[in-house]
Every structure is written in structure tokens, then in C-alpha cells.
Amino acid sequence: MTPTWRDPDRTALAVLGSPIAHSLSPTLHLAAYQELGVPFTYGRHEVASGGLDAFIAGLGPAQPGYRGLSLTMPLKREVLPLLDRTTPLVDELGVANTLAFRSVGDGVERSGANTDVEGIVRPVAALGHVPGQATILGGGATAASALMASLRLGADLVRVFVRDTGRAGDLVTLATRLGVTLEVHPLTELAQAGPLGFVVSTLPGGAADDLPLTPSGPDAVLFDVAYEPWPTAVARRWSTAGGRVLNGLDMLTEQAIGQIRFFLTGDDDELLPDEAAVRRAMRHAVRLPETIVG
């Protein structure tokens, strides 16, 4: 194992965000650490926009005991100026959902990663779905990860539907940098899009319930990143119409696996020991089927 695995003084982890009380990240992570046999703790803390710097400062100059933090909304962009080192994906997207503390000499290094992209890619790829076009609902930090995921999955056109098209500038800039053809539309025009083959809803739970989404056929996939409550109304309608649905917990599980890799080894691409068993334990902990099904 690498030195970061053996660091005996860094065993505390937590997920931060707002709202956070519903988060199942502690359930997933603790199931994984039990399977791996590592003595880590994992909690949750309500941290609103503007509060991340103060929270980290409150841990002390060297963040004693803390190995890392999982970050959810609204902190995925606010963390960037607090990082000493970032992965290339964070640099490309301007979004990080993972912060690891590394002991360096007498100090500490704060490293950031983005595991949300693979949290979307791996479940869709497991279904064997290759989207020619992608539709993304919402324009926040998770939408940036969904854009990159769509590109990695093979989409050559991405349409984004948002409440306020004037706030989609970051996505437009990202798409230009990635060489992706991007169309930005108001949510009110979604009904005009017709049947869809691949949709990623990054909207909060319930926000997509009344949106007119229709699958283009039995291979069509809706990836709804919401998971509480589940199933969402839009997921039920999509499934009833014959399309396939991925649960937001599928994404949460896969992005958590990337985070665990990063916390333990400093590399979110380095597989865990017996990762298949770890994945099964995590999915069982949140009552998902053993394997991904759409």
C-alpha cells in the first residue's frame, strides 16, 4: 500500500453541503471501509455557501485526524481556491467534489478531485448505452460533470435545458473548450424536444417531476441524479413509457468509489483491493441490486 494508506493519524472523513441531513454518503462509505478493513469514521456536516473556508480552518492548521472531505452542493466550486493540488479533470471542469488532506513534511497539502464524471459514466456504460445525443437538465456544477460524462460516453451533441439561459455561460465556455456542440434552451421549451434517447437530470429531487420527458424507445436512458425520495415522479413516468432508468444512488455509489480510491491512494483511477466486493457491499447498504440494471 502507499504511504497515504498507512497514515495512522488521519482516519476521519465527512460529507459537507447544504442540505445534508438526507445524504447516504456515510452509509456508502462506512460499508466500504468495513469491507476494506480500514478504521475510518465518516460523518456529515451542514455547511452552507460561504462556510467551507471557516469549516476547514476550524479543523486546525494541519487538519489533525482528517483524511478528507466529500463535497456536495453548493461547495463544489467554492473549494477550488482552497486547494493546493488538483487533478487534470478538476482543472478542466472547475468543479471538485473530493478534498483529501496529505501530510507533507511538517505541513498539509489539500488535494482536490472530481469523481462525479465517472459516477455518471460507469453506470451508463454498464448498460451498454452509447448516446449519440445527450440532454442535460440543469446548469450547475453537476451539469458540468454530466457534460464531460456525455462526451466520454460518445455524445456528439448536447442540449442543456435550464431555468435561466443567461446563467449557462460556464457550460458554454466548457463545451467550447472540449469541442462539444452545445445547445442551450429554457426549460419551458423541453416539450418541443420530442422523444429523447439519453437524459441526465441534475435538478434537485422533485424539480423534474412535472417536466415533459418521453423516451425514444426501449434503449432510452434517464439518469436522474436525485434519490430522495425514490422513485421520482419523472422516473416512474419514463419507466412506464418503456425507457430505462438509472437511480441517483447508482451515481452516488460510483462517485463514492472514486472518492475512496482518492482518499486511500491519492489516485481516483487506482482500483481498490477486491473492488467488486466493495461495490457489492456499498450497493447492498443502500438497497440497490447487486449489479446495475436499467
Side-chain angles (χ1 to χ4, degrees), residues 1 4-6 11 13 26-42 67 253 256-267 270-282:
M1 292 301 174
T4 53
W5 178 287
R6 296 196 301 265
T11 59
L13 297 148
T27 302
L28 285 166
H29 278 258
L30 290 172
Y33 301 136
Q34 181 176 5
E35 182 70 26
L36 288 165
V38 292
F40 294 168
T41 63
Y42 192 102
R67 179 171 289 264
T253 301
I257 288 173
Q259 290 184 331
I260 294 163
R261 293 174 181 174
F262 195 69
F263 291 145
L264 293 179
T265 72
D267 184 351
E270 184 174 331
L271 296 181
L272 300 169
D274 199 358
E275 187 164 294
V278 174
R279 179 177 282 106
R280 286 194 299 270
M282 295 170 73

mmCIF file of all heavy atoms in Angstrom, residues 1 4-6 11 13 26-42 67 253 256-267 270-282:
data_model
loop_
_atom_site.group_PDB
_atom_site.id
_atom_site.type_symbol
_atom_site.label_atom_id
_atom_site.label_comp_id
_atom_site.label_asym_id
_atom_site.label_seq_id
_atom_site.Cartn_x
_atom_site.Cartn_y
_atom_site.Cartn_z
ATOM 1 N N MET A 1 0.832 -1.196 0.000
ATOM 2 C CA MET A 1 0.000 0.000 0.000
ATOM 3 C C MET A 1 0.872 1.253 0.000
ATOM 4 O O MET A 1 2.021 1.217 0.394
ATOM 5 C CB MET A 1 -0.929 0.003 1.216
ATOM 6 C CG MET A 1 -2.001 -1.096 1.157
ATOM 7 S SD MET A 1 -3.043 -0.949 -0.294
ATOM 8 C CE MET A 1 -4.013 -2.437 -0.145
ATOM 9 N N THR A 4 -0.031 7.043 1.921
ATOM 10 C CA THR A 4 -1.280 7.678 2.332
ATOM 11 C C THR A 4 -2.218 6.673 2.983
ATOM 12 O O THR A 4 -3.005 7.019 3.847
ATOM 13 C CB THR A 4 -1.965 8.332 1.124
ATOM 14 O OG1 THR A 4 -2.104 7.362 0.080
ATOM 15 C CG2 THR A 4 -1.180 9.502 0.610
ATOM 16 N N TRP A 5 -2.152 5.400 2.567
ATOM 17 C CA TRP A 5 -2.981 4.367 3.185
ATOM 18 C C TRP A 5 -2.563 4.151 4.624
ATOM 19 O O TRP A 5 -3.384 3.968 5.501
ATOM 20 C CB TRP A 5 -2.811 3.076 2.379
ATOM 21 C CG TRP A 5 -3.570 1.888 2.909
ATOM 22 C CD1 TRP A 5 -3.287 1.148 4.017
ATOM 23 C CD2 TRP A 5 -4.743 1.330 2.353
ATOM 24 N NE1 TRP A 5 -4.193 0.136 4.176
ATOM 25 C CE2 TRP A 5 -5.105 0.222 3.164
ATOM 26 C CE3 TRP A 5 -5.524 1.619 1.247
ATOM 27 C CZ2 TRP A 5 -6.206 -0.577 2.892
ATOM 28 C CZ3 TRP A 5 -6.622 0.820 0.975
ATOM 29 C CH2 TRP A 5 -6.959 -0.248 1.786
ATOM 30 N N ARG A 6 -1.248 4.194 4.895
ATOM 31 C CA ARG A 6 -0.741 3.834 6.209
ATOM 32 C C ARG A 6 -0.755 4.989 7.204
ATOM 33 O O ARG A 6 -0.427 4.783 8.364
ATOM 34 C CB ARG A 6 0.701 3.312 6.075
ATOM 35 C CG ARG A 6 0.826 2.029 5.264
ATOM 36 C CD ARG A 6 2.174 1.378 5.490
ATOM 37 N NE ARG A 6 3.263 2.268 5.121
ATOM 38 C CZ ARG A 6 3.846 2.239 3.928
ATOM 39 N NH1 ARG A 6 3.436 1.383 3.011
ATOM 40 N NH2 ARG A 6 4.841 3.059 3.662
ATOM 41 N N THR A 11 -7.886 9.413 10.077
ATOM 42 C CA THR A 11 -8.927 8.388 9.960
ATOM 43 C C THR A 11 -10.333 8.970 9.857
ATOM 44 O O THR A 11 -11.295 8.217 9.721
ATOM 45 C CB THR A 11 -8.878 7.438 11.162
ATOM 46 O OG1 THR A 11 -9.073 8.190 12.367
ATOM 47 C CG2 THR A 11 -7.545 6.699 11.236
ATOM 48 N N LEU A 13 -13.362 11.228 8.149
ATOM 49 C CA LEU A 13 -13.890 11.694 6.870
ATOM 50 C C LEU A 13 -15.303 12.202 7.086
ATOM 51 O O LEU A 13 -15.957 11.850 8.073
ATOM 52 C CB LEU A 13 -13.902 10.559 5.836
ATOM 53 C CG LEU A 13 -12.555 9.977 5.442
ATOM 54 C CD1 LEU A 13 -12.685 8.496 5.106
ATOM 55 C CD2 LEU A 13 -11.984 10.739 4.247
ATOM 56 N N PRO A 26 -22.551 8.703 4.168
ATOM 57 C CA PRO A 26 -21.990 7.955 5.293
ATOM 58 C C PRO A 26 -22.283 6.464 5.225
ATOM 59 O O PRO A 26 -21.414 5.636 5.519
ATOM 60 C CB PRO A 26 -22.656 8.607 6.513
ATOM 61 C CG PRO A 26 -22.967 10.005 6.074
ATOM 62 C CD PRO A 26 -23.378 9.857 4.641
ATOM 63 N N THR A 27 -23.497 6.103 4.807
ATOM 64 C CA THR A 27 -23.862 4.690 4.692
ATOM 65 C C THR A 27 -22.967 3.987 3.680
ATOM 66 O O THR A 27 -22.455 2.883 3.932
ATOM 67 C CB THR A 27 -25.334 4.562 4.279
ATOM 68 O OG1 THR A 27 -26.159 5.223 5.240
ATOM 69 C CG2 THR A 27 -25.747 3.100 4.183
ATOM 70 N N LEU A 28 -22.764 4.610 2.527
ATOM 71 C CA LEU A 28 -21.943 4.008 1.479
ATOM 72 C C LEU A 28 -20.488 3.883 1.900
ATOM 73 O O LEU A 28 -19.866 2.825 1.750
ATOM 74 C CB LEU A 28 -22.050 4.853 0.208
ATOM 75 C CG LEU A 28 -23.347 4.737 -0.578
ATOM 76 C CD1 LEU A 28 -23.444 5.860 -1.597
ATOM 77 C CD2 LEU A 28 -23.436 3.384 -1.274
ATOM 78 N N HIS A 29 -19.928 4.972 2.412
ATOM 79 C CA HIS A 29 -18.516 4.967 2.763
ATOM 80 C C HIS A 29 -18.221 3.991 3.904
ATOM 81 O O HIS A 29 -17.238 3.235 3.843
ATOM 82 C CB HIS A 29 -18.058 6.376 3.138
ATOM 83 C CG HIS A 29 -17.734 7.238 1.958
ATOM 84 N ND1 HIS A 29 -16.436 7.491 1.560
ATOM 85 C CD2 HIS A 29 -18.536 7.898 1.084
ATOM 86 C CE1 HIS A 29 -16.457 8.273 0.483
ATOM 87 N NE2 HIS A 29 -17.715 8.537 0.184
ATOM 88 N N LEU A 30 -19.046 3.988 4.924
ATOM 89 C CA LEU A 30 -18.780 3.102 6.060
ATOM 90 C C LEU A 30 -18.889 1.630 5.662
ATOM 91 O O LEU A 30 -18.134 0.784 6.161
ATOM 92 C CB LEU A 30 -19.731 3.435 7.205
ATOM 93 C CG LEU A 30 -19.464 4.782 7.889
ATOM 94 C CD1 LEU A 30 -20.570 5.111 8.890
ATOM 95 C CD2 LEU A 30 -18.103 4.795 8.584
ATOM 96 N N ALA A 31 -19.812 1.329 4.731
ATOM 97 C CA ALA A 31 -19.900 -0.048 4.232
ATOM 98 C C ALA A 31 -18.618 -0.436 3.512
ATOM 99 O O ALA A 31 -18.117 -1.564 3.652
ATOM 100 C CB ALA A 31 -21.102 -0.202 3.301
ATOM 101 N N ALA A 32 -18.062 0.509 2.747
ATOM 102 C CA ALA A 32 -16.824 0.236 2.021
ATOM 103 C C ALA A 32 -15.653 0.051 2.971
ATOM 104 O O ALA A 32 -14.845 -0.877 2.812
ATOM 105 C CB ALA A 32 -16.536 1.370 1.045
ATOM 106 N N TYR A 33 -15.536 0.909 3.986
ATOM 107 C CA TYR A 33 -14.397 0.825 4.896
ATOM 108 C C TYR A 33 -14.459 -0.444 5.745
ATOM 109 O O TYR A 33 -13.428 -1.033 6.080
ATOM 110 C CB TYR A 33 -14.317 2.081 5.757
ATOM 111 C CG TYR A 33 -14.169 3.335 4.927
ATOM 112 C CD1 TYR A 33 -14.908 4.480 5.201
ATOM 113 C CD2 TYR A 33 -13.315 3.342 3.824
ATOM 114 C CE1 TYR A 33 -14.788 5.615 4.405
ATOM 115 C CE2 TYR A 33 -13.192 4.473 3.032
ATOM 116 C CZ TYR A 33 -13.933 5.597 3.315
ATOM 117 O OH TYR A 33 -13.819 6.708 2.522
ATOM 118 N N GLN A 34 -15.669 -0.873 6.061
ATOM 119 C CA GLN A 34 -15.803 -2.134 6.779
ATOM 120 C C GLN A 34 -15.331 -3.290 5.896
ATOM 121 O O GLN A 34 -14.617 -4.186 6.359
ATOM 122 C CB GLN A 34 -17.246 -2.357 7.212
ATOM 123 C CG GLN A 34 -17.454 -3.651 7.995
ATOM 124 C CD GLN A 34 -18.879 -3.802 8.500
ATOM 125 O OE1 GLN A 34 -19.755 -3.006 8.204
ATOM 126 N NE2 GLN A 34 -19.110 -4.838 9.285
ATOM 127 N N GLU A 35 -15.733 -3.274 4.625
ATOM 128 C CA GLU A 35 -15.317 -4.328 3.697
ATOM 129 C C GLU A 35 -13.809 -4.314 3.498
ATOM 130 O O GLU A 35 -13.176 -5.373 3.394
ATOM 131 C CB GLU A 35 -16.036 -4.137 2.360
ATOM 132 C CG GLU A 35 -15.724 -5.190 1.304
ATOM 133 C CD GLU A 35 -16.305 -6.549 1.650
ATOM 134 O OE1 GLU A 35 -17.324 -6.610 2.392
ATOM 135 O OE2 GLU A 35 -15.742 -7.556 1.175
ATOM 136 N N LEU A 36 -13.221 -3.126 3.455
ATOM 137 C CA LEU A 36 -11.788 -2.995 3.247
ATOM 138 C C LEU A 36 -10.975 -3.251 4.513
ATOM 139 O O LEU A 36 -9.763 -3.475 4.453
ATOM 140 C CB LEU A 36 -11.462 -1.584 2.732
ATOM 141 C CG LEU A 36 -11.874 -1.278 1.290
ATOM 142 C CD1 LEU A 36 -11.841 0.228 1.038
ATOM 143 C CD2 LEU A 36 -10.985 -2.010 0.298
ATOM 144 N N GLY A 37 -11.636 -3.172 5.665
ATOM 145 C CA GLY A 37 -10.945 -3.398 6.924
ATOM 146 C C GLY A 37 -10.072 -2.237 7.358
ATOM 147 O O GLY A 37 -9.041 -2.438 8.000
ATOM 148 N N VAL A 38 -10.508 -1.005 7.031
ATOM 149 C CA VAL A 38 -9.755 0.170 7.458
ATOM 150 C C VAL A 38 -10.573 0.915 8.518
ATOM 151 O O VAL A 38 -11.797 1.003 8.429
ATOM 152 C CB VAL A 38 -9.419 1.103 6.270
ATOM 153 C CG1 VAL A 38 -8.425 0.434 5.343
ATOM 154 C CG2 VAL A 38 -10.665 1.512 5.492
ATOM 155 N N PRO A 39 -9.912 1.477 9.533
ATOM 156 C CA PRO A 39 -10.618 2.031 10.698
ATOM 157 C C PRO A 39 -11.042 3.485 10.525
ATOM 158 O O PRO A 39 -10.747 4.332 11.364
ATOM 159 C CB PRO A 39 -9.578 1.892 11.812
ATOM 160 C CG PRO A 39 -8.275 2.132 11.102
ATOM 161 C CD PRO A 39 -8.441 1.499 9.735
ATOM 162 N N PHE A 40 -11.740 3.780 9.442
ATOM 163 C CA PHE A 40 -12.124 5.165 9.180
ATOM 164 C C PHE A 40 -13.512 5.453 9.737
ATOM 165 O O PHE A 40 -14.380 4.580 9.760
ATOM 166 C CB PHE A 40 -12.125 5.461 7.679
ATOM 167 C CG PHE A 40 -10.777 5.398 7.023
ATOM 168 C CD1 PHE A 40 -10.676 5.401 5.640
ATOM 169 C CD2 PHE A 40 -9.609 5.350 7.768
ATOM 170 C CE1 PHE A 40 -9.432 5.347 5.018
ATOM 171 C CE2 PHE A 40 -8.373 5.295 7.166
ATOM 172 C CZ PHE A 40 -8.286 5.293 5.776
ATOM 173 N N THR A 41 -13.711 6.693 10.173
ATOM 174 C CA THR A 41 -15.034 7.192 10.526
ATOM 175 C C THR A 41 -15.509 8.114 9.403
ATOM 176 O O THR A 41 -14.713 8.627 8.620
ATOM 177 C CB THR A 41 -15.006 7.968 11.847
ATOM 178 O OG1 THR A 41 -14.154 9.129 11.705
ATOM 179 C CG2 THR A 41 -14.490 7.095 12.975
ATOM 180 N N TYR A 42 -16.829 8.317 9.321
ATOM 181 C CA TYR A 42 -17.362 9.159 8.251
ATOM 182 C C TYR A 42 -18.667 9.774 8.742
ATOM 183 O O TYR A 42 -19.629 9.066 9.036
ATOM 184 C CB TYR A 42 -17.607 8.320 6.993
ATOM 185 C CG TYR A 42 -17.892 9.124 5.745
ATOM 186 C CD1 TYR A 42 -16.915 9.323 4.776
ATOM 187 C CD2 TYR A 42 -19.146 9.690 5.531
ATOM 188 C CE1 TYR A 42 -17.175 10.050 3.621
ATOM 189 C CE2 TYR A 42 -19.418 10.426 4.397
ATOM 190 C CZ TYR A 42 -18.425 10.601 3.443
ATOM 191 O OH TYR A 42 -18.678 11.334 2.301
ATOM 192 N N ARG A 67 -8.684 12.856 7.084
ATOM 193 C CA ARG A 67 -8.109 12.329 5.850
ATOM 194 C C ARG A 67 -8.715 13.025 4.635
ATOM 195 O O ARG A 67 -8.045 13.200 3.625
ATOM 196 C CB ARG A 67 -8.355 10.822 5.762
ATOM 197 C CG ARG A 67 -7.820 10.152 4.497
ATOM 198 C CD ARG A 67 -7.919 8.653 4.596
ATOM 199 N NE ARG A 67 -6.967 8.134 5.558
ATOM 200 C CZ ARG A 67 -5.768 7.652 5.230
ATOM 201 N NH1 ARG A 67 -5.389 7.648 3.964
ATOM 202 N NH2 ARG A 67 -4.971 7.195 6.157
ATOM 203 N N THR A 253 -23.028 5.902 -5.594
ATOM 204 C CA THR A 253 -22.146 4.779 -5.286
ATOM 205 C C THR A 253 -20.854 4.850 -6.087
ATOM 206 O O THR A 253 -19.753 4.701 -5.538
ATOM 207 C CB THR A 253 -22.859 3.446 -5.567
ATOM 208 O OG1 THR A 253 -24.036 3.358 -4.766
ATOM 209 C CG2 THR A 253 -21.953 2.261 -5.268
ATOM 210 N N ALA A 256 -18.626 7.680 -5.086
ATOM 211 C CA ALA A 256 -18.040 7.380 -3.782
ATOM 212 C C ALA A 256 -16.859 6.419 -3.918
ATOM 213 O O ALA A 256 -15.861 6.555 -3.200
ATOM 214 C CB ALA A 256 -19.093 6.788 -2.850
ATOM 215 N N ILE A 257 -16.953 5.469 -4.835
ATOM 216 C CA ILE A 257 -15.827 4.560 -5.066
ATOM 217 C C ILE A 257 -14.605 5.351 -5.526
ATOM 218 O O ILE A 257 -13.479 5.116 -5.071
ATOM 219 C CB ILE A 257 -16.210 3.471 -6.079
ATOM 220 C CG1 ILE A 257 -17.189 2.480 -5.432
ATOM 221 C CG2 ILE A 257 -14.970 2.739 -6.604
ATOM 222 C CD1 ILE A 257 -17.772 1.467 -6.381
ATOM 223 N N GLY A 258 -14.820 6.318 -6.406
ATOM 224 C CA GLY A 258 -13.713 7.171 -6.834
ATOM 225 C C GLY A 258 -13.129 7.964 -5.681
ATOM 226 O O GLY A 258 -11.906 8.129 -5.573
ATOM 227 N N GLN A 259 -13.996 8.458 -4.796
ATOM 228 C CA GLN A 259 -13.517 9.198 -3.636
ATOM 229 C C GLN A 259 -12.691 8.310 -2.710
ATOM 230 O O GLN A 259 -11.640 8.718 -2.210
ATOM 231 C CB GLN A 259 -14.706 9.783 -2.868
ATOM 232 C CG GLN A 259 -15.408 10.899 -3.597
ATOM 233 C CD GLN A 259 -16.514 11.529 -2.779
ATOM 234 O OE1 GLN A 259 -17.130 10.865 -1.939
ATOM 235 N NE2 GLN A 259 -16.773 12.800 -3.000
ATOM 236 N N ILE A 260 -13.160 7.098 -2.487
ATOM 237 C CA ILE A 260 -12.442 6.173 -1.596
ATOM 238 C C ILE A 260 -11.068 5.865 -2.182
ATOM 239 O O ILE A 260 -10.065 5.822 -1.459
ATOM 240 C CB ILE A 260 -13.273 4.899 -1.376
ATOM 241 C CG1 ILE A 260 -14.545 5.243 -0.598
ATOM 242 C CG2 ILE A 260 -12.462 3.842 -0.628
ATOM 243 C CD1 ILE A 260 -15.622 4.183 -0.656
ATOM 244 N N ARG A 261 -10.994 5.655 -3.480
ATOM 245 C CA ARG A 261 -9.693 5.452 -4.132
ATOM 246 C C ARG A 261 -8.772 6.639 -3.845
ATOM 247 O O ARG A 261 -7.603 6.471 -3.488
ATOM 248 C CB ARG A 261 -9.869 5.313 -5.641
ATOM 249 C CG ARG A 261 -10.596 4.074 -6.136
ATOM 250 C CD ARG A 261 -10.803 4.207 -7.629
ATOM 251 N NE ARG A 261 -11.506 3.095 -8.246
ATOM 252 C CZ ARG A 261 -11.879 3.081 -9.517
ATOM 253 N NH1 ARG A 261 -11.628 4.121 -10.301
ATOM 254 N NH2 ARG A 261 -12.507 2.040 -10.019
ATOM 255 N N PHE A 262 -9.313 7.840 -3.996
ATOM 256 C CA PHE A 262 -8.514 9.058 -3.824
ATOM 257 C C PHE A 262 -8.085 9.231 -2.371
ATOM 258 O O PHE A 262 -6.942 9.611 -2.089
ATOM 259 C CB PHE A 262 -9.319 10.266 -4.299
ATOM 260 C CG PHE A 262 -8.495 11.508 -4.513
ATOM 261 C CD1 PHE A 262 -7.586 11.589 -5.550
ATOM 262 C CD2 PHE A 262 -8.653 12.611 -3.686
ATOM 263 C CE1 PHE A 262 -6.833 12.744 -5.762
ATOM 264 C CE2 PHE A 262 -7.911 13.768 -3.887
ATOM 265 C CZ PHE A 262 -6.996 13.830 -4.931
ATOM 266 N N PHE A 263 -8.994 8.962 -1.441
ATOM 267 C CA PHE A 263 -8.649 9.091 -0.027
ATOM 268 C C PHE A 263 -7.547 8.107 0.370
ATOM 269 O O PHE A 263 -6.685 8.424 1.194
ATOM 270 C CB PHE A 263 -9.873 8.843 0.851
ATOM 271 C CG PHE A 263 -10.934 9.915 0.765
ATOM 272 C CD1 PHE A 263 -12.281 9.578 0.851
ATOM 273 C CD2 PHE A 263 -10.601 11.250 0.619
ATOM 274 C CE1 PHE A 263 -13.268 10.556 0.790
ATOM 275 C CE2 PHE A 263 -11.579 12.238 0.549
ATOM 276 C CZ PHE A 263 -12.918 11.884 0.637
ATOM 277 N N LEU A 264 -7.590 6.922 -0.197
ATOM 278 C CA LEU A 264 -6.653 5.878 0.215
ATOM 279 C C LEU A 264 -5.324 5.946 -0.511
ATOM 280 O O LEU A 264 -4.275 5.659 0.077
ATOM 281 C CB LEU A 264 -7.279 4.498 0.000
ATOM 282 C CG LEU A 264 -8.479 4.160 0.885
ATOM 283 C CD1 LEU A 264 -9.004 2.776 0.544
ATOM 284 C CD2 LEU A 264 -8.108 4.233 2.346
ATOM 285 N N THR A 265 -5.343 6.293 -1.788
ATOM 286 C CA THR A 265 -4.130 6.171 -2.605
ATOM 287 C C THR A 265 -3.684 7.475 -3.247
ATOM 288 O O THR A 265 -2.580 7.544 -3.781
ATOM 289 C CB THR A 265 -4.338 5.150 -3.733
ATOM 290 O OG1 THR A 265 -5.233 5.697 -4.730
ATOM 291 C CG2 THR A 265 -4.923 3.850 -3.198
ATOM 292 N N GLY A 266 -4.547 8.491 -3.241
ATOM 293 C CA GLY A 266 -4.215 9.735 -3.931
ATOM 294 C C GLY A 266 -4.491 9.693 -5.411
ATOM 295 O O GLY A 266 -4.195 10.642 -6.136
ATOM 296 N N ASP A 267 -5.109 8.604 -5.902
ATOM 297 C CA ASP A 267 -5.384 8.438 -7.334
ATOM 298 C C ASP A 267 -6.773 7.841 -7.480
ATOM 299 O O ASP A 267 -7.016 6.692 -7.072
ATOM 300 C CB ASP A 267 -4.335 7.515 -7.962
ATOM 301 C CG ASP A 267 -4.503 7.372 -9.471
ATOM 302 O OD1 ASP A 267 -5.521 7.838 -10.008
ATOM 303 O OD2 ASP A 267 -3.612 6.777 -10.106
ATOM 304 N N GLU A 270 -6.977 4.421 -9.423
ATOM 305 C CA GLU A 270 -6.335 3.202 -8.922
ATOM 306 C C GLU A 270 -7.366 2.320 -8.235
ATOM 307 O O GLU A 270 -7.987 2.714 -7.243
ATOM 308 C CB GLU A 270 -5.210 3.555 -7.949
ATOM 309 C CG GLU A 270 -4.437 2.340 -7.453
ATOM 310 C CD GLU A 270 -3.229 2.720 -6.609
ATOM 311 O OE1 GLU A 270 -2.665 3.812 -6.848
ATOM 312 O OE2 GLU A 270 -2.869 1.933 -5.717
ATOM 313 N N LEU A 271 -7.553 1.117 -8.751
ATOM 314 C CA LEU A 271 -8.582 0.233 -8.230
ATOM 315 C C LEU A 271 -8.317 -0.141 -6.776
ATOM 316 O O LEU A 271 -7.169 -0.267 -6.346
ATOM 317 C CB LEU A 271 -8.667 -1.037 -9.082
ATOM 318 C CG LEU A 271 -9.100 -0.869 -10.540
ATOM 319 C CD1 LEU A 271 -9.146 -2.225 -11.228
ATOM 320 C CD2 LEU A 271 -10.436 -0.161 -10.638
ATOM 321 N N LEU A 272 -9.409 -0.345 -6.045
ATOM 322 C CA LEU A 272 -9.328 -0.792 -4.662
ATOM 323 C C LEU A 272 -9.070 -2.296 -4.614
ATOM 324 O O LEU A 272 -9.393 -3.024 -5.554
ATOM 325 C CB LEU A 272 -10.639 -0.492 -3.936
ATOM 326 C CG LEU A 272 -11.060 0.969 -3.863
ATOM 327 C CD1 LEU A 272 -12.496 1.069 -3.361
ATOM 328 C CD2 LEU A 272 -10.118 1.751 -2.950
ATOM 329 N N PRO A 273 -8.509 -2.790 -3.513
ATOM 330 C CA PRO A 273 -8.400 -4.236 -3.340
ATOM 331 C C PRO A 273 -9.797 -4.874 -3.384
ATOM 332 O O PRO A 273 -10.698 -4.445 -2.669
ATOM 333 C CB PRO A 273 -7.768 -4.390 -1.957
ATOM 334 C CG PRO A 273 -7.087 -3.082 -1.698
ATOM 335 C CD PRO A 273 -7.926 -2.043 -2.383
ATOM 336 N N ASP A 274 -9.969 -5.866 -4.259
ATOM 337 C CA ASP A 274 -11.256 -6.548 -4.430
ATOM 338 C C ASP A 274 -12.393 -5.534 -4.552
ATOM 339 O O ASP A 274 -13.363 -5.558 -3.797
ATOM 340 C CB ASP A 274 -11.524 -7.509 -3.271
ATOM 341 C CG ASP A 274 -12.587 -8.553 -3.632
ATOM 342 O OD1 ASP A 274 -13.127 -8.496 -4.754
ATOM 343 O OD2 ASP A 274 -12.876 -9.409 -2.781
ATOM 344 N N GLU A 275 -12.252 -4.649 -5.527
ATOM 345 C CA GLU A 275 -13.230 -3.567 -5.679
ATOM 346 C C GLU A 275 -14.635 -4.094 -5.962
ATOM 347 O O GLU A 275 -15.626 -3.475 -5.575
ATOM 348 C CB GLU A 275 -12.786 -2.617 -6.799
ATOM 349 C CG GLU A 275 -13.650 -1.376 -6.899
ATOM 350 C CD GLU A 275 -13.022 -0.276 -7.719
ATOM 351 O OE1 GLU A 275 -11.976 0.267 -7.291
ATOM 352 O OE2 GLU A 275 -13.567 0.030 -8.789
ATOM 353 N N ALA A 276 -14.747 -5.219 -6.633
ATOM 354 C CA ALA A 276 -16.069 -5.782 -6.896
ATOM 355 C C ALA A 276 -16.801 -6.088 -5.593
ATOM 356 O O ALA A 276 -18.007 -5.833 -5.466
ATOM 357 C CB ALA A 276 -15.946 -7.042 -7.753
ATOM 358 N N ALA A 277 -16.081 -6.618 -4.606
ATOM 359 C CA ALA A 277 -16.702 -6.910 -3.315
ATOM 360 C C ALA A 277 -17.080 -5.627 -2.584
ATOM 361 O O ALA A 277 -18.125 -5.550 -1.929
ATOM 362 C CB ALA A 277 -15.763 -7.749 -2.453
ATOM 363 N N VAL A 278 -16.232 -4.612 -2.701
ATOM 364 C CA VAL A 278 -16.534 -3.321 -2.086
ATOM 365 C C VAL A 278 -17.789 -2.727 -2.708
ATOM 366 O O VAL A 278 -18.682 -2.237 -1.994
ATOM 367 C CB VAL A 278 -15.341 -2.352 -2.240
ATOM 368 C CG1 VAL A 278 -15.716 -0.961 -1.732
ATOM 369 C CG2 VAL A 278 -14.121 -2.873 -1.493
ATOM 370 N N ARG A 279 -17.883 -2.789 -4.022
ATOM 371 C CA ARG A 279 -19.068 -2.251 -4.711
ATOM 372 C C ARG A 279 -20.331 -2.995 -4.271
ATOM 373 O O ARG A 279 -21.370 -2.370 -4.024
ATOM 374 C CB ARG A 279 -18.876 -2.345 -6.225
ATOM 375 C CG ARG A 279 -20.063 -1.831 -7.037
ATOM 376 C CD ARG A 279 -19.800 -1.868 -8.533
ATOM 377 N NE ARG A 279 -18.955 -0.758 -8.945
ATOM 378 C CZ ARG A 279 -17.676 -0.886 -9.277
ATOM 379 N NH1 ARG A 279 -17.077 -2.074 -9.220
ATOM 380 N NH2 ARG A 279 -16.978 0.172 -9.647
ATOM 381 N N ARG A 280 -20.260 -4.302 -4.183
ATOM 382 C CA ARG A 280 -21.430 -5.081 -3.753
ATOM 383 C C ARG A 280 -21.859 -4.681 -2.342
ATOM 384 O O ARG A 280 -23.058 -4.525 -2.067
ATOM 385 C CB ARG A 280 -21.126 -6.576 -3.809
ATOM 386 C CG ARG A 280 -21.078 -7.164 -5.199
ATOM 387 C CD ARG A 280 -21.110 -8.685 -5.160
ATOM 388 N NE ARG A 280 -19.962 -9.243 -4.451
ATOM 389 C CZ ARG A 280 -18.817 -9.564 -5.033
ATOM 390 N NH1 ARG A 280 -18.664 -9.376 -6.343
ATOM 391 N NH2 ARG A 280 -17.826 -10.093 -4.328
ATOM 392 N N ALA A 281 -20.886 -4.496 -1.442
ATOM 393 C CA ALA A 281 -21.216 -4.116 -0.071
ATOM 394 C C ALA A 281 -21.881 -2.742 -0.025
ATOM 395 O O ALA A 281 -22.845 -2.526 0.731
ATOM 396 C CB ALA A 281 -19.950 -4.120 0.790
ATOM 397 N N MET A 282 -21.384 -1.822 -0.831
ATOM 398 C CA MET A 282 -21.960 -0.480 -0.855
ATOM 399 C C MET A 282 -23.376 -0.494 -1.421
ATOM 400 O O MET A 282 -24.284 0.137 -0.870
ATOM 401 C CB MET A 282 -21.053 0.448 -1.673
ATOM 402 C CG MET A 282 -19.681 0.664 -1.041
ATOM 403 S SD MET A 282 -18.527 1.520 -2.136
ATOM 404 C CE MET A 282 -19.197 3.201 -2.088
#
